[in-house]
Amino acid sequence: MTMTAPATRPANPRFSSGPCAKIPTFTLEKLADAALGRSHRAKIGKDKLKAAIEETRDILNIPADYRIGIVPASDTGAVEMAMWSLLGARKATMVAWESFGAGWVTDVIKQLKIDAEVKTADYGEIVDMAALDYNTDVVFTWNGTTSGVRMPSGDAIPANREGLTICDATSAAFAMDLPWDKLDVTTFSWQKVLGGEAAHGMLILSPRAVERLESYTPAWPLPKIFRLTKGGKLIEGIFVGETINTPSMLAVEDYLVALDWARSVGGLKGLIARADANAKAIWDFCEARDWIDNLAVDAATRSNTSVCLKFTDARITDGPVFAKAVAKRLEAEGVALDVGAYRDAPAGLRIWCGGTVETSDVEAMLPWLEYAFHAEIEALSQAA
């Protein structure tokens, strides 16, 4: 089947799953008010950092008694800080259904050497969250960025749990409705759903998590950038913008601009609706074709941000080579950048659909995906 190249191209071909597309209205001029060359401990710096925290609270509907801190090293730093500071007080349950969750398992089992039970599921599937022991500390991802599988809800998490829930929500925050009463520690990075700049993470603590921090001292030494307490008390300054180390005030300004844009499109509800519309365009495309499918086995667990796809055509003899060829062709045409599957994931594509992506760009990209698929199938036929 020889196809003609589509006539329409996406206005923005950036579909990377991190760092993700900037907000649609982004220009460098919007960062002109950044407190460059000023100390983050000066009033102007503290005010901007505190504003980032409070705007995050307001848009995500985070309870008033939850602490929100800006921490180093993106989401990875936030998760590691939580695990090193909180785990070890009781048995842990480590949950993984994709590569980042598997990384947290490795750190807890091999580095911290904590007594932990490990629950895993293959790419495209999810662990039975209702079967877990929530009297242990449970560590899990809300949205599998590399598998396209997400938690359908927090219903499986009991309200009367004795352990803490530590949730890596970096591809979920600002695109999914997180049940804060079920989450004791939540982390994400600016570079995901709002397309912010990298290197800064968010750490959100429930009162139960704060109680653990103030009543438990880990058996191992903590690096300075992981220390959340002093003298057995929470360092409250971290949660009003007095960061542990020097943040980028340019990145802070970029995050504030993104938060302002988020409010302009309807806040959390508006962002969820935008991500849902983007993902649905791809799901409908796959439903109408027999050569491509969602990696997520259960439709209820399909991610609306990191949509992962697999090729199902029987003519494909080498899945990884074929998928890379399609991704390379899309990039060469300038219509879809950085859409190859994550290196540890099954062969296929991963298309970011978070709220900073315009649905019109997804819809313009999909005919090119069909074009690239048939072009590579024809190349296979000619090589045979």
Side-chain angles (χ1 to χ4, degrees):
M1 177 181 176
T2 302
M3 290 188 64
T4 302
T8 303
R9 294 172 179 270
N12 184 357
R14 294 169 178 83
F15 296 101
S16 164
S17 290
C20 302
K22 306 296 290 180
I23 59 174
T25 58
F26 178 79
T27 63
L28 287 173
E29 287 72 21
K30 289 183 179 291
L31 306 182
D33 195 42
L36 303 184
R38 294 297 308 274
S39 170
H40 60 294
R41 302 194 188 283
K43 185 177 186 303
I44 186 173
K46 286 184 178 180
D47 286 349
K48 285 181 177 292
L49 288 160
K50 186 175 181 180
I53 289 171
E54 292 309 317
E55 281 293 286
T56 299
R57 183 187 305 279
D58 192 50
I59 292 175
L60 292 181
N61 303 314
I62 299 171
D65 59 351
Y66 278 50
R67 292 350 192 263
I68 305 172
I70 297 170
V71 300
S74 198
D75 178 64
T76 299
V79 175
E80 295 286 1
M81 181 181 289
M83 294 194 303
W84 280 66
S85 299
L86 292 161
L87 294 183
R90 59 175 62 225
K91 185 176 179 179
T93 300
M94 303 299 299
V95 182
W97 55 80
E98 49 94 49
S99 61
F100 288 106
W104 310 143
V105 171
T106 297
D107 290 349
V108 167
I109 300 297
K110 294 187 177 181
Q111 302 299 323
L112 295 177
K113 297 180 171 59
I114 289 171
D115 179 20
E117 183 174 8
V118 178
K119 299 287 188 179
T120 62
D122 292 335
Y123 279 84
E125 299 182 354
I126 193 170
V127 168
D128 181 1
M129 299 297 289
L132 304 182
D133 180 3
Y134 288 92
N135 290 328
T136 67
D137 293 331
V138 180
V139 182
F140 65 100
T141 58
W142 190 273
N143 182 83
T145 307
T146 65
S147 69
V149 173
R150 68 171 172 181
M151 292 267 291
S153 72
D155 293 350
I157 302 172
N160 62 344
R161 61 193 178 277
E162 293 185 13
L164 299 179
T165 52
I166 299 177
C167 175
D168 172 358
T170 198
S171 293
F174 295 107
M176 302 171 200
D177 198 5
L178 299 172
W180 297 108
D181 62 320
K182 302 297 183 72
L183 305 177
D184 294 305
V185 180
T186 308
T187 69
F188 66 88
S189 71
W190 296 352
Q191 63 158 313
K192 291 295 184 183
V193 177
L194 288 188
E197 292 305 295
H200 297 77
M202 300 297 277
L203 178 68
I204 303 169
L205 305 177
S206 74
R208 298 180 73 247
V210 173
E211 181 182 12
R212 170 73 66 81
L213 282 169
E214 293 184 336
S215 62
Y216 164 69
T217 301
W220 44 83
L222 288 177
K224 179 180 179 179
I225 61 170
F226 284 4
R227 295 174 200 161
L228 295 167
T229 61
K230 184 176 182 180
K233 291 295 182 181
L234 191 72
I235 303 173
E236 294 285 0
I238 294 172
F239 304 95
V240 294
E242 297 171 11
T243 54
I244 295 172
N245 69 337
T246 305
S248 163
M249 296 311 296
L250 188 63
V252 170
E253 193 69 23
D254 182 69
Y255 184 53
L256 288 171
V257 168
L259 289 167
D260 186 59
W261 171 82
R263 191 177 295 283
S264 77
V265 297
L268 181 59
K269 287 185 178 179
L271 290 167
I272 291 173
R274 288 174 66 89
D276 284 349
N278 292 338
K280 186 177 185 300
I282 297 178
W283 299 342
D284 290 348
F285 175 87
C286 293
E287 188 68 26
R289 288 156 183 82
D290 61 3
W291 48 266
I292 194 167
D293 199 3
N294 206 290
L295 184 60
V297 174
D298 181 356
T301 68
R302 289 176 182 171
S303 171
N304 67 343
T305 56
S306 54
V307 178
C308 295
L309 306 175
K310 59 184 178 181
F311 293 106
T312 57
D313 194 290
R315 292 170 290 180
I316 300 171
T317 55
D318 190 326
V321 169
F322 184 87
K324 287 179 181 178
V326 170
K328 183 177 180 181
R329 186 179 289 269
L330 291 170
E331 180 153 353
E333 292 285 357
V335 295
L337 308 179
D338 309 313
V339 295
Y342 189 73
R343 61 179 179 267
D344 296 332
L349 303 177
R350 180 175 58 157
I351 302 169
W352 182 256
C353 289
T356 61
V357 173
E358 300 280 23
T359 304
S360 58
D361 285 332
V362 177
E363 292 171 340
M365 176 273 298
L366 290 170
W368 283 95
L369 171 54
E370 184 152 33
Y371 168 76
F373 166 77
H374 288 293
E376 292 305 324
I377 286 291
E378 185 171 345
L380 286 179
S381 177
Q382 292 175 354

